[in-house]
Structures are given as structure tokens and as C-alpha cells.
Amino acid sequence: MSILIKNAWIVTQNEKREILQGNIYIEESKIVEIGDVNEEAEYVLNASGKIVMPGLINTHTHVGMTDMRGMADDVNLEEFLMKMWKEEAKRGREEIYKGAKLGIKEMLRTGTTAFVDMYSDEDAIAKAAKELGIRAFLGWAVVDEDITTQEGNPLNNAENFIKEFRNEELITPLIAPHAVYTCNEETLLKAKEIAEKYDTLITMHISETRKEVYEHRKRTGMRPVEWLEKIEFLNSKLIAAHLVWLTLHEIKILAKNGVKASHNPTSNMKLGNGGSMPLPEMLDNGILVTLGTDSTVSNNNLDMFEAMKFAALLHKNERWDASITNAQEILDFATINAAKALELNAGSIEEGRLADLVILNPAPNGLPLRKNTIVSNIVYSLTGLNVEHTIVNGKIVI
Amino acid sequence: MSILIKNAWIVTQNEKREILQGNIYIEESKIVEIGDVNEEAEYVLNASGKIVMPGLINTHTHVGMTDMRGMADDVNLEEFLMKMWKEEAKRGREEIYKGAKLGIKEMLRTGTTAFVDMYSDEDAIAKAAKELGIRAFLGWAVVDEDITTQEGNPLNNAENFIKEFRNEELITPLIAPHAVYTCNEETLLKAKEIAEKYDTLITMHISETRKEVYEHRKRTGMRPVEWLEKIEFLNSKLIAAHLVWLTLHEIKILAKNGVKASHNPTSNMKLGNGGSMPLPEMLDNGILVTLGTDSTVSNNNLDMFEAMKFAALLHKNERWDASITNAQEILDFATINAAKALELNAGSIEEGRLADLVILNPAPNGLPLRKNTIVSNIVYSLTGLNVEHTIVNGKIVI
């Protein structure tokens, strides 16, 4: 397939963060040329008055739960988990597949071209992802064998899933130990071993709530990140979700080990986790920060535009300082930073990159359209429903 | 004009907060019948699988600035005001009219059917509002004569504006003294006198930043609300915007005087005002709370769906307690509470009420559609761009 996008405002997210005006030519899965190009193409999209930007990358969600949207609002995390686990016990592969379809449709419609998932039955989610054409990083959830509801051993399930899906074009399997309160040392180290064996990424919830930190310290004498370093679990393949309750010492440990962060501001706020991830200190220490929505049960949507605004405003509010975050750095979290964390040749619009991008109609909530306020409009004004077209791997999926 | 909306999920916002399924029949400006009704109508809207809810009411904005969107991001309020005032000095009636048109189009497109504005040149904004068919409560901004940039005396301008527009169907003029740092006692009391003479509402910024409170106290020995009570400015006609930095004593003063609150969470967070309005204490003391977006320079959109989500999540985060706010009370702020504050026969879908309502398409980000999660979906999942039709005063405007 070849696509020519004409006369667009292009938010490149390249090294210089240039904003260009011109055309983009896509062939097969790649961006081939940007600028004055005038190739013939099978599909020509007129983007005059529109914005083209890299597709957003959601680094933390549980898309199989999408159809449970709104089922546990306005309660704190512990009660939330009780409600969820009770509901989830009633669900099987078919429900998870349906939930995933609903969620992936929402993601594509709202400009997300790639996502990281954590759940069981990721093969059902892979099926939904392949049918709908999204790029999916699917982490099979692992917990200790004595508490799992999965059939069989979670580590074996994860390994089998990785073996089955590791050669797919749009699916990248990974392993997802759930948290320090559901995985013991042996489980965590076995999960890491599997990741090393197949050279996959790892994703895990870390330090989401005070309770988690408090109880882990009571049990081990150490805070979660300190303990994870001690057992030699941390490495640069790990994408840690939440990281709300961290000390500066833990931030330095994460930085030293090259751990990537998935910030989930909307979910953290909605669950009343309190505190808020120490973003400025994490950036100061060189941690690569990306952005996630979490599931529709704790968010309650998968709109990464909204997640960007919540990320920016949460920290301005928390620090009583409007200058503590800025639109450009937040956009980086959701695009180029996430691509780096996922070792993915995307996240920016440059020749040779994968053609994962979206076309936005800025009317009416992102007008006027001016070069020097486009990034501001993307982060602070627009929503996922401003997306008119989503292109993944060179294919128009919306 | 008559309109029949068929087969809708109806979020009534009536006394019992009922959610019904059925038809709505509208004749002229009013809702005439709800339920199994099958009247003939000029316009028939099939709302099967859709949600009908009261139009949202934005109780604080400056719509004439909409075309300045994105011009002062990521700076604190004082620097923000400097930037704004410099830009505004270059602007005249024509720019304000154009800004208002852009903003009103955005409001109607995103489900807002009525708004409260504070600005100069409200006659230009009234012109835009009439052309586009929104319900507008327009407050002519008043500051001390020695600092105004208005031609002529602001109090006279305000009075003339009220006289000219007080018999319009969709326009309700009011008076808008700007703040305690721009209006002295004499200006405030004269503004109140004008409001009493023409029986209009008053709106004003109160206690938005620490600096405002600190400097007012240094000047008068009293905090703003204490001082406003002392000079006998407070009454039940006043809609006070922001109210971020309040003591419990001031909350009790506001409650005693029947002052209404316009909460602007997104703007407060974006400007890093810090603190956050003491919502739970205000509700405990019986203050009627409504919701505003503020302008597109400090928000940066006019989407009341987003404002609802920010309102809910800000306080959950601030109090480390997910149960401190709930979706239903937040929806009340943006509908029935605002209608009460504005003495407007709207804000709920009931026979005899004004036909100010919106039809939402919940796909894809508000699915599945279930009676017991509809209110949650409205507050936590949907955005203004889910709105398919907006009806104001019985006319389909979107």
C-alpha cells in the first residue's frame, strides 16, 4: 500500500522537534519521504488545515477489561481490587476477547497506534489486535502459582505465549509479573529469566499505593524498589507502571538500572492514590518517562490526549508551579519516549520510521491553528475524538 | 418548531435523578412530554443507542479570548496575567467578536447550552451569541476607573449594557466586578447597586491565588471573603469564581450569604494555583457548587465534560480518597446546580422545562451502554466531541 498525505502541518517529534508544512509519502510499512514530495499513491489524503503527528503509544493498560468500564468508581484501590477480582472471576476468554476488541477500537479511534497490555489470556487479546490492525505489546500476567486463577502455571503460560507470538509483525509478546504483593522472589526471577531467554521486555506494577509500600517494608524491611534491586530483578528491559510512592533513593536506583517509567496520572488520581509520581525528580535523574491510561475501570477511557493533559496538570497542581511541566515534554512521553522504551522504530515522523501516525482535525476545540501553539493545542485542547485518520504500519485503520 | 427525540436513554437530572428510556417531545422552547409519547413533529431524531441529557452550563469563562488559545502556557498566574494584558491591549471589538464566535461554536459542539461570561465589550459577545443561538449570561467586567482600558466608565458601560440587553430571550446581562485587587470598595458597592436596580446576577473572581489573599490581607487586615462581607457586598445573587484559597470561616460566611460557587478545576490546575478549592467542606456547609472552564488561555478548551472529570479527580487526588467525590454530584454541578444559580428553568429534562439538551453518541469511548454506568460514563469517559446534537431553547443548533 502507498499513501500520500498532502499539505499537512507535521508535528515531527524529530531530534529538533520541528514542525513542518508539507506532504508525507508512505510505502508499505514505512515513511519514505517528507516535504515537497509529489509521488503517485494508492491513497491520497488531503490534510490541509489538519495536523499530522506520530501515533500515541499507551504504555500501560488492561484492554481485556474494557467492557467493565464504570463498574468500580469512586472507591479506593483496595475496595476497587476486591470488586474487580469478583467480576473477573466470572469472565473467560470470550469476554476478554470482546473487551479487547472494544478497547482496541477505542484506542485506534482516539489516535493510539501501539499499546502495552498486562493481563492473562493475552492470546485472545492478540487475536483482537491482529483483527483490528493495532501494534500490540502484550504482557502475559504472572502471579504466584498459589494465588493464580489462570489454568496451569502462569510462568509456563507466559513462556508459551511468547514462543507462539514472537515472530508476528504487529504483536510483540512480553512478560508481566503483576506486583511485589502478588509475586515472590522466585516468581520474579523466573519471569526475568524467561524475558532474558527470549530477549523480551518486562512490565510490572511498582509502588502504586502507600499500602503496597508499607506492607512490603513490613515484610522485607525494604521499600519495593530497594528490594527489587537487591534481588537483582531490575534492568533496562523493565517498564514499571505507576511509581507513585518513591523516595529519591529509589529514583536513583531506577535510573542506575535504566528502568523505564509508565506514568498513569488519570488512574492514580481517580483511585485517590495520593502523593503523585515524583515526575520532576525522575526527569532530573534521567529516567525515561512514558504515559499510560491504565484500564477503563480506573480511568475510565483509553484516550491518550486526555492522559497527556492530566499528566501536565497534575504536577503543576501538586507543585503549585505552572512551569514544572510543559506541553512539549508531555508530548514526548506519549510518542518518542515510549518508542524508545519499547525499542520501536516509531514515535516520530521521519524518513525510514514505521508509518504509525494520526491525522487530527483541530476544529473547533484546537483553533486557531498556529505553528507556535500546535503542540500546546495537542496536549491541552484536543481530545482523541479530534482524530480523523489513524495509520498503523502503513495501513489506514481509521 | 417541534422536535421528537425517539428511543433515547434519558439522564433526566430530575429530583429522583431518574434514568429513563423513551421519547421526548419538544414544542417551541419547552419540553412538553417525556415517555411513551408519539406526537407528530417537524423534526424527528432517532436516538436509539444514544444518551439524552441536559445541556451543560459553564458558569465561568471569557469567551472573547478564545482565539488567544495557547498564548500563555506553562507560566504562573502573575506572568500569565502580564502576557494576557499585553496581548489584550492590542485587541478591539472585532477581535473579541471573532474570539466569541469561535468559543461559542466550540461550546455548542461540545454540549454546552448556556454560559456565564466576564469581559468588556459584552455587546459584541451578545451579537455572536445571538447569531449562533446559545443561551448567554453576559457579565460586563468592571474595574476601578483609574486602571481600566475600557472607553468610558466601566460601571456606566455595564449599566448601559444591562439596559440594552435585559429584554432579550437568550441573553441575560449581569455585572462582573473583576476581583478585590482591581475593584475598590466604592466600585464593588456601585456594581452591587446596579445589580439591585435591574435585578441582575453578579459574578466575580474571588480568592483564586495565594498572592491575592496575601496582598488583600496586608492591605485590609482581612481575607477577601471576610472583607467582602464587612463591606456588605455578599448576597445570593453572587456567583463567585475560583474560591481556591478559603478558610473554613470564609466558607461559613459564603454559605450564610447564599453565595454560589463556580469551580474551575482545570484552569486552577493549569495555572498551578495550588491548594485546590475546599470542595468537601463547601458541600458540607451547603454551598451550591457549579462548574466553569475559564478561558481557553488557562484551560485550554471549553469542554465541560473534561471539566467534570478534572473536578472529580482533582479532589480524589488532593484528599487521597476516591470516595470524596462521585459522578452524580459532579454531573449535578454542571447541570441542575448551575440552573439554580442562574435562576434558569433548565438543567434537567422534565416536562415544562426549557428545551436545552444534548444527544450523545457513546461510541466508542462510552461503551458498553448500561443504565447503572451511564452517569459514570458521562463524567469519566466521554468528551464534548461525543455530542451529536445540541438543542437550545427548542432549536437544533448542532
Side-chain angles (χ1 to χ4, degrees):
Chain A
M1 192 190 276
S2 62
I3 305 170
L4 180 64
I5 303 173
K6 290 180 76 170
N7 300 317
W9 280 101
I10 306 167
V11 177
T12 64
Q13 290 294 90
N14 65 13
E15 195 84 18
K16 292 185 194 160
R17 302 297 186 263
E18 279 171 305
I19 293 171
L20 308 171
Q21 261 192 306
N23 301 350
I24 301 172
Y25 179 67
I26 295 164
E27 218 174 68
E28 302 300 329
S29 64
K30 294 277 178 65
I31 297 164
V32 174
E33 217 181 324
I34 299 167
D36 242 358
V37 41
N38 227 331
E39 296 280 340
E40 297 281 312
E42 280 168 76
Y43 294 87
V44 178
L45 300 172
N46 176 16
S48 164
K50 311 278 169 73
I51 301 165
V52 180
M53 61 177 278
L56 297 165
I57 302 173
N58 184 345
T59 57
H60 187 65
T61 188
H62 312 277
V63 80
M65 299 168 77
T66 305
D67 59 313
M68 296 165 77
R69 194 192 310 269
M71 290 183 88
D73 292 328
D74 308 328
V75 294
N76 292 311
L77 185 69
E78 285 72 33
E79 193 178 339
F80 172 88
L81 289 177
M82 291 295 191
K83 279 200 180 193
M84 281 306 89
W85 289 337
K86 205 175 135 198
E87 281 300 324
E88 283 178 310
K90 300 178 205 159
R91 292 162 62 81
R93 275 180 57 86
E94 192 53 30
E95 286 77 16
I96 291 168
Y97 167 73
K98 280 187 190 158
K101 277 215 133 174
L102 190 61
I104 292 167
K105 281 181 193 167
E106 180 183 346
M107 286 196 276
L108 290 171
R109 174 67 184 81
T110 57
T112 292
T113 51
F115 71 104
V116 179
D117 200 69
M118 176 196 280
Y119 217 64
S120 63
D121 298 284
E122 286 288 350
D123 53 328
I125 297 169
K127 181 166 175 261
K130 283 168 72 172
E131 284 169 10
L132 295 166
I134 199 166
R135 202 178 292 282
F137 292 77
L138 304 179
W140 192 291
V142 167
V143 297
D144 292 338
E145 203 172 358
D146 59 335
I147 59 166
T148 190
T149 54
Q150 294 177 33
E151 275 180 51
N153 175 292
L155 286 161
N156 294 343
N157 295 343
E159 183 165 2
N160 290 335
F161 171 68
I162 291 170
K163 280 198 280 193
E164 190 180 344
F165 286 90
R166 69 185 154 145
N167 294 316
E168 297 273 348
E169 190 174 11
L170 291 181
I171 307 291
T172 307
L174 52 151
I175 191 160
H178 177 265
V180 293
Y181 54 92
T182 43
C183 297
N184 61 29
E185 180 173 339
E186 189 190 344
T187 304
L188 288 171
L189 294 181
K190 280 195 181 153
K192 190 186 175 195
E193 210 177 289
I194 293 170
E196 281 167 354
K197 182 167 168 193
Y198 299 97
D199 191 28
T200 77
L201 297 164
I202 310 174
T203 191
M204 178 173 171
H205 298 121
I206 299 182
S207 296
E208 183 175 4
T209 66
R210 282 169 295 159
K211 185 163 186 260
E212 173 186 339
V213 175
Y214 176 82
E215 303 217 322
H216 194 74
R217 230 183 133 181
K218 209 162 70 174
R219 205 163 53 240
T220 67
M222 275 171 274
R223 297 175 65 94
V225 172
E226 295 166 347
W227 181 79
L228 289 167
E229 189 190 37
K230 196 204 101 195
I231 68 164
E232 296 182 14
F233 177 76
L234 302 179
N235 66 23
S236 65
K237 295 293 221 177
L238 174 62
I239 300 166
H242 301 301
L243 297 173
V244 177
W245 291 95
L246 292 184
T247 59
L248 196 51
H249 178 57
E250 285 175 294
I251 290 172
K252 290 183 193 295
I253 293 172
L254 293 171
K256 192 176 71 187
N257 287 279
V259 175
K260 318 301 192 282
S262 174
H263 183 24
N264 291 251
T266 324
S267 170
N268 297 156
M269 290 178 74
K270 183 157 181 287
L271 288 169
N273 288 350
S276 89
M277 191 185 84
L279 177 67
E281 292 75 14
M282 288 165 73
L283 295 176
D284 283 350
N285 280 279
I287 292 177
L288 190 77
V289 176
T290 70
L291 217 53
T293 58
D294 214 342
S295 84
T296 58
V297 195
S298 66
N299 182 310
N300 295 354
N301 64 41
L302 303 172
D303 186 339
M304 284 290 289
F305 286 86
E306 193 188 89
M308 288 195 283
K309 187 164 183 176
F310 269 98
L313 271 55
L314 168 59
H315 301 284
K316 294 176 191 295
N317 180 64
E318 188 76 18
R319 304 300 174 111
W320 301 10
D321 181 357
S323 68
I324 203 80
T325 54
N326 66 72
Q328 181 62 60
E329 86 185 351
I330 299 287
L331 181 59
D332 292 356
F333 295 172
T335 55
I336 190 74
N337 285 18
K340 274 183 206 154
L342 297 176
E343 304 168 357
L344 182 66
N345 183 28
S348 67
I349 298 180
E350 293 174 283
E351 291 165 8
R353 295 271 192 185
L354 288 166
D356 287 8
L357 47 85
V358 300
I359 305 179
L360 297 167
N361 182 347
N365 48 325
L367 294 179
L369 188 54
R370 281 183 287 245
K371 186 174 175 176
N372 66 339
T373 56
I374 283 184
V375 170
S376 162
N377 289 353
I378 289 171
V379 174
Y380 297 129
S381 309
L382 299 177
T383 82
L385 295 185
N386 287 96
V387 171
E388 277 191 351
H389 292 291
T390 303
I391 296 173
V392 181
N393 210 38
K395 286 204 178 59
I396 303 171
V397 287
I398 296 284
Chain B
M1 192 192 274
S2 61
I3 305 168
L4 181 65
I5 302 171
K6 291 181 75 168
N7 301 317
W9 279 101
I10 307 169
V11 178
T12 64
Q13 289 295 92
N14 66 12
E15 196 84 18
K16 292 186 194 159
R17 302 295 186 267
E18 279 171 306
I19 293 170
L20 308 172
Q21 261 190 308
N23 301 352
I24 302 173
Y25 179 68
I26 294 164
E27 218 174 67
E28 302 299 331
S29 64
K30 295 277 178 64
I31 297 163
V32 174
E33 218 180 322
I34 299 167
D36 242 356
V37 39
N38 228 333
E39 296 282 340
E40 297 281 312
E42 281 167 76
Y43 293 88
V44 178
L45 300 172
N46 176 16
S48 163
K50 310 279 168 76
I51 301 166
V52 180
M53 61 177 278
L56 296 165
I57 302 174
N58 184 345
T59 57
H60 186 66
T61 189
H62 312 279
V63 79
M65 299 167 77
T66 305
D67 58 315
M68 297 166 76
R69 192 193 311 267
M71 290 182 87
D73 291 329
D74 309 327
V75 294
N76 292 309
L77 187 69
E78 285 72 35
E79 193 179 339
F80 172 86
L81 289 176
M82 291 295 190
K83 279 200 181 193
M84 282 303 90
W85 288 337
K86 204 175 132 197
E87 281 299 322
E88 283 178 310
K90 302 177 204 159
R91 292 162 61 82
R93 276 179 57 85
E94 192 52 31
E95 285 77 16
I96 292 169
Y97 167 74
K98 280 186 190 158
K101 277 215 132 171
L102 191 61
I104 292 167
K105 280 181 195 168
E106 181 182 345
M107 285 195 278
L108 290 171
R109 175 66 186 80
T110 57
T112 292
T113 52
F115 71 104
V116 179
D117 200 68
M118 176 195 281
Y119 217 62
S120 62
D121 299 284
E122 285 288 351
D123 53 331
I125 297 170
K127 182 166 174 260
K130 283 169 72 173
E131 285 170 9
L132 295 167
I134 198 165
R135 202 177 293 281
F137 291 76
L138 303 179
W140 193 290
V142 166
V143 296
D144 292 339
E145 203 172 357
D146 59 334
I147 58 164
T148 189
T149 53
Q150 293 178 34
E151 275 179 51
N153 175 292
L155 286 161
N156 293 345
N157 294 344
E159 182 164 4
N160 290 336
F161 172 68
I162 292 170
K163 279 199 281 194
E164 189 180 343
F165 286 91
R166 67 186 155 146
N167 294 316
E168 297 274 349
E169 189 174 11
L170 290 181
I171 308 290
T172 306
L174 52 149
I175 191 161
H178 177 264
V180 293
Y181 53 93
T182 44
C183 298
N184 61 30
E185 179 173 342
E186 190 189 343
T187 304
L188 288 171
L189 293 182
K190 279 195 179 152
K192 190 186 177 195
E193 212 178 287
I194 293 170
E196 280 166 356
K197 184 167 167 191
Y198 299 97
D199 192 28
T200 77
L201 297 163
I202 310 175
T203 191
M204 179 173 170
H205 298 120
I206 299 181
S207 297
E208 184 175 2
T209 65
R210 281 169 294 158
K211 185 164 185 259
E212 173 187 340
V213 175
Y214 175 81
E215 303 217 324
H216 194 76
R217 230 182 135 183
K218 210 163 69 174
R219 205 164 53 240
T220 67
M222 275 172 274
R223 296 174 67 94
V225 171
E226 295 167 347
W227 181 79
L228 289 167
E229 189 191 36
K230 197 206 101 196
I231 68 165
E232 295 183 13
F233 177 77
L234 302 178
N235 67 22
S236 65
K237 294 292 221 177
L238 175 62
I239 299 165
H242 300 302
L243 297 174
V244 176
W245 290 94
L246 292 183
T247 60
L248 197 50
H249 178 58
E250 286 176 293
I251 291 171
K252 289 184 193 296
I253 293 173
L254 293 170
K256 193 176 70 186
N257 288 279
V259 175
K260 318 301 193 280
S262 173
H263 183 24
N264 291 250
T266 324
S267 170
N268 297 156
M269 289 178 75
K270 182 156 181 287
L271 289 168
N273 289 349
S276 92
M277 192 184 83
L279 177 68
E281 292 75 14
M282 289 166 73
L283 294 176
D284 284 350
N285 280 278
I287 293 177
L288 189 76
V289 176
T290 70
L291 216 53
T293 58
D294 213 344
S295 83
T296 57
V297 195
S298 67
N299 182 307
N300 296 351
N301 65 40
L302 303 171
D303 186 338
M304 285 289 290
F305 286 86
E306 191 187 270
M308 289 194 283
K309 187 163 183 176
F310 269 98
L313 270 54
L314 168 60
H315 301 284
K316 294 176 191 296
N317 179 64
E318 188 76 18
R319 305 300 174 112
W320 301 9
D321 181 358
S323 69
I324 203 80
T325 54
N326 66 70
Q328 181 63 60
E329 85 185 350
I330 299 287
L331 182 59
D332 292 355
F333 296 172
T335 56
I336 190 74
N337 286 18
K340 274 185 204 152
L342 298 175
E343 303 167 359
L344 181 67
N345 183 27
S348 67
I349 297 179
E350 293 175 283
E351 290 165 10
R353 295 272 192 185
L354 288 166
D356 289 6
L357 47 85
V358 300
I359 304 179
L360 297 167
N361 181 347
N365 48 326
L367 294 179
L369 189 55
R370 282 183 285 245
K371 186 174 176 177
N372 66 341
T373 56
I374 283 184
V375 170
S376 162
N377 289 353
I378 288 171
V379 173
Y380 297 128
S381 308
L382 299 177
T383 83
L385 295 184
N386 287 97
V387 171
E388 277 192 347
H389 292 292
T390 303
I391 296 172
V392 181
N393 209 41
K395 287 202 178 59
I396 304 171
V397 286
I398 296 283

